[in-house]
Amino acid sequence: MSQHAIEELAQAVIARMDSAPNPRFKQIMTSLITHAHAMVREVDLRPDEWMAAIQFLTATGQKCDDKRQEVILLSDTLGISMLVVALDQLRGEIAAKASGTPATEATVQGPFYVESPPELPLGSDIGQGEPGEPAYYSGRVTDVAGKPIANCALDVWSSDGDGFYDVQREHKPGMHLRARFRTNANGNYRFWSVKPSKYPVPVDGPVGTMLLAMGRHPFRPGHMHTMLQAPGYQKLTTHLFDSTSEYLDSDAVFGVRDSLIVNFAAHAPGAAPDGRVMKVPYHSANFDFKLVPAV
Ligand code: BEZ
Ligand code: FE
């Protein structure tokens, strides 16, 4: 094959899609073929290297089961999940004519969300008896103009102080360190949990091998996951990152946004902001969420 024919091959593949019925699918595949061929030409990919890539993708698929999604982990660690989240949020803000407003930034959902967590009264403690230092979370949910949003469902979930989610602890079944709260008439929320710890993404599969080969560590900084849903507003999935955590500048899944880094203030034992008397030291984190109207 001549150099010219090599360069024309991508176009020949694209031309075969002339009668593809779905124009969006055709657009995506055209771009995929264009960029994939360009990459192969750019690095002058060798047959053994392509075979290694095929074996890697095969092993990534084979690692998946009902508890483990290695393909999503691949997308996460290559920054593609975060890119899709950021583009989706921007699209939603533009549609709602709210781009450029101080809406809370979204970040990745991750694999540890559980549908329909237990709904608890404001102020409940979901960290009782769990490894980790107690932390009091509070703040307000408003629209981008500052109007309070009442009855907003706020799902929260996090790792414990040892870096494990409940779904990873087979010796301790059931839901832990997760709940749904609802904001009060002023849009306020409050609950107790633990200060989340840094933890590694799973490394016992092909993605772990890839990270090693890239010279990368697998850690995420400590974070509390949140998902907010209120009628008339766009759903928001995001995190609160502990400002003192390691790995804020090198999150394995590229999820950190400066606006989501929160001070977990340290307190000596004594009366907490909600009047609870703490016999041990604790932390407090305050964060206000701003939601964009639905379109
Ligand atoms: C998480 O934050 O729970 C997470 C996100 C992406 C990959 C692994 C874990
Ligand atoms: Fe997480």
Side-chain angles (χ1 to χ4, degrees):
M1 216 181 208
S2 68
Q3 183 64 29
H4 178 72
I6 283 171
E7 273 159 30
E8 295 289 294
L9 192 53
Q11 216 33 61
V13 179
I14 290 164
R16 294 276 174 96
M17 290 193 296
D18 269 357
S19 50
N22 181 330
R24 177 66 177 161
F25 177 75
K26 189 173 170 185
Q27 179 194 13
I28 292 168
M29 288 309 292
T30 299
S31 180
L32 176 69
I33 294 159
T34 304
H35 289 280
H37 276 245
M39 184 276 273
V40 171
R41 289 196 308 269
E42 183 185 312
V43 301
D44 189 12
L45 197 71
R46 314 284 201 268
D48 60 324
E49 293 164 341
W50 183 227
M51 189 45 68
I54 287 170
Q55 282 162 352
F56 169 77
L57 290 173
T58 305
T60 301
Q62 286 169 339
K63 188 74 186 168
C64 298
D65 58 26
D66 58 338
K67 292 212 176 70
R68 178 77 176 259
Q69 234 304 351
E70 194 77 357
V71 181
I72 296 182
L73 189 58
L74 178 61
S75 154
D76 293 341
T77 51
L78 293 181
I80 296 172
S81 303
M82 188 59 226
L83 183 57
V84 172
V85 164
L87 287 171
D88 189 53
Q89 184 170 39
L90 187 60
R91 191 180 316 113
E93 288 177 1
I94 289 170
K97 302 195 170 28
S99 65
T101 62
T104 302
E105 289 190 277
T107 188
V108 291
Q109 178 170 316
F112 300 122
Y113 178 66
V114 174
E115 294 286 342
S116 306
E119 186 157 339
L120 299 177
L122 285 176
S124 300
D125 186 354
I126 57 172
Q128 194 91 53
E130 304 290 342
E133 298 162 20
Y136 177 69
Y137 296 81
S138 63
R140 203 168 192 219
V141 182
T142 70
D143 69 8
V144 286
K147 187 175 105 209
I149 301 176
N151 202 31
C152 173
L154 170 68
D155 292 359
V156 299
W157 69 105
S158 80
S159 62
D160 63 23
D162 296 335
F164 292 101
Y165 285 81
D166 54 0
V167 292
Q168 296 175 301
R169 300 183 307 191
E170 276 165 12
H171 65 281
K172 199 171 174 186
M175 292 203 207
H176 301 271
L177 293 166
R178 61 178 76 238
R180 173 168 294 171
F181 297 102
R182 285 189 186 273
T183 54
N184 66 14
N186 297 320
N188 290 314
Y189 73 87
R190 59 194 168 84
F191 64 96
W192 285 87
S193 184
V194 296
K195 184 161 95 88
S197 146
K198 66 182 179 193
Y199 64 87
V201 300
V203 289
D204 58 339
V207 171
T209 310
M210 178 192 79
L211 292 177
L212 206 62
M214 287 175 148
R216 284 173 54 182
H217 71 72
F219 285 93
R220 299 214 65 209
H223 57 274
M224 172 62 69
H225 289 261
T226 61
M227 181 188 286
L228 293 91
Q229 298 177 84
Y233 294 90
Q234 295 180 28
K235 174 174 159 181
L236 172 70
T237 303
T238 192
H239 299 354
L240 309 182
F241 290 96
D242 168 13
S243 65
T244 63
S245 182
E246 253 178 288
Y247 306 115
L248 282 171
D249 56 357
S250 61
D251 180 7
V253 305
F254 304 92
V256 179
R257 295 286 161 275
D258 286 350
S259 66
L260 303 176
I261 298 176
V262 179
N263 177 33
F264 279 67
H267 303 279
D274 63 348
R276 181 178 178 186
V277 178
M278 295 299 291
K279 295 201 174 78
V280 293
Y282 67 97
H283 299 266
S284 65
N286 189 268
F287 189 83
D288 294 337
F289 296 93
K290 288 195 184 299
L291 304 186
V292 172
V295 281

